[in-house]
Amino acid sequence: MDLGIAGKWALVCAASKGLGRGCAEALAREGVNVVITARGEEALQATAAALRALNPAVQVRTVAGDITTEAGRTAALAAAPQVDILVNNAGGPPPGDFRDWGREAWLAALEANMITPIELIRATVDAMAARGFGRVVNITSSAVKAPIDFLGLSNGARSGLTGFVAGTARQSRLAAAGVTINNLLPGSFDTDRLRAGFSAVAKKSGQPLEGVSEARRKLVPAQRFGTAAEFGAYCAFLCSVHASYVTGQNLLIDGGAYPGAY
Ligand code: NAP
């Protein structure tokens, strides 16, 4: 299937590794020029080289910086001649007990997982509407639909973004102008973040790392963790011309882990 987006420009935030990288790879494979960001320069350049090798016809630009800061967002936006596709992503907040989190912890989570994507949406969607095409995909979490007790910062901040998107995506000046805004909700994907979480649980509980990972894997009906490549493929489809009638949605990609019918 030709996704019909070759030649477009995408800003893919937090994309040197994991799910963001999966999205950048899938888009580059479809002929989309990409700006990728991350804080660490080395992994960012290695990913850029891999993307160029994947599709030498596309332009790949890098911006090293913290996307949760004003300066990081300004630099990321300035690197693309225009943003036709925006993939919002950043590191997730730490786990813990809400009793230990003060105002600063909450502000950091809100900045990273709610305000940053909203600021980037604000900076891009009206120009997308003026051109008659735009795609925003926010990487959130299955925890938006099925909150996890020790991920309170993530549950809270991402729910704020989810509420914002539910209203904004339905503005006719966007929806009728070819601009879609959707959230992709990952379950358990085999990335550095997932493995770091398992290591923390193993360390705290004294269980072997393999045991922690296996116990989690068995909870997924698909009996495996997702891959960044399949996450990226779903993202690329949402960014395609074929997904123009999908907006304001929260789309789970979790191997069947969410137990509800709706
Ligand atoms: P990952 O493998 O750890 O990759 C994170 C990427 O984001 C790296 O490229 C990292 O590079 C970059 N990054 C992190 N913070 C950044 C910042 N402030 N500014 C710019 N770049 C930043 O993580 P992942 O598993 O792909 O997770 C991506 C998002 O999905 C996170 O919000 C996570 O909470 C959420 N999520 C993941 C899963 C899962 O199973 N993997 C499930 C639910 C939700 P640098 O560190 O060099 O900046």
Side-chain angles (χ1 to χ4, degrees):
M1 185 190 283
D2 177 1
L3 297 190
I5 48 177
K8 303 277 189 205
W9 273 93
L11 168 57
V12 187
C13 304
S16 67
K17 297 178 187 169
L19 304 180
R21 175 173 172 158
C23 295
E25 284 182 357
L27 289 168
R29 203 173 274 120
E30 294 301 321
V32 175
N33 303 304
V34 292
V35 174
I36 56 170
T37 86
R39 292 163 303 180
E41 180 83 47
E42 200 179 324
L44 186 64
Q45 294 309 332
T47 297
L51 292 172
R52 290 180 189 113
L54 200 64
N55 188 350
V58 300
Q59 291 191 56
V60 178
R61 298 182 184 172
T62 58
V63 178
D66 185 342
I67 200 69
T68 71
T69 65
E70 184 79 46
R73 291 189 287 273
T74 302
L77 288 165
Q82 65 187 51
V83 179
D84 305 303
I85 294 168
L86 168 64
V87 180
N88 275 316
N89 186 31
D97 189 311
F98 77 94
R99 293 166 187 82
D100 300 325
W101 297 326
R103 181 179 166 77
E104 290 309 312
W106 276 106
L107 290 179
L110 291 171
E111 188 75 53
N113 299 110
M114 179 183 168
I115 296 169
T116 289
I118 291 173
E119 284 283 81
L120 290 170
I121 288 169
R122 185 164 74 103
T124 54
V125 290
D126 288 337
M128 291 176 182
R131 293 190 297 270
F133 178 92
R135 297 285 184 267
V136 179
V137 176
N138 303 303
I139 300 179
T140 66
S141 173
S142 60
V144 171
K145 272 182 89 91
I148 300 166
D149 64 352
F150 55 85
L151 290 180
L153 290 170
S154 172
N155 302 336
R158 295 189 202 276
S159 293
L161 174 64
T162 302
F164 168 80
V165 166
T168 303
R170 291 173 171 86
Q171 284 190 352
S172 289
R173 59 192 282 198
L174 298 176
V179 179
T180 70
I181 312 179
N182 292 290
N183 302 320
L184 259 188
L185 283 53
S188 297
F189 277 78
D190 187 14
T191 65
D192 285 1
R193 177 171 166 92
L194 191 76
R195 287 186 287 272
F198 291 160
S199 296
V201 172
K203 205 171 158 192
K204 202 171 169 191
S205 65
Q207 290 173 264
L209 180 60
E210 183 67 11
V212 174
S213 170
E214 275 302 282
R216 174 72 83 82
R217 182 184 67 77
K218 286 181 184 151
L219 292 176
V220 184
Q223 297 289 288
R224 67 177 179 83
F225 299 126
T227 67
E230 59 197 345
F231 190 90
Y234 198 166
C235 175
F237 175 74
L238 274 180
C239 295
S240 77
V241 294
H242 309 294
S244 55
Y245 209 47
V246 180
T247 197
Q249 301 303 304
N250 290 290
L251 303 159
L252 274 169
I253 170 164
D254 69 349
Y258 176 72
Y262 306 104

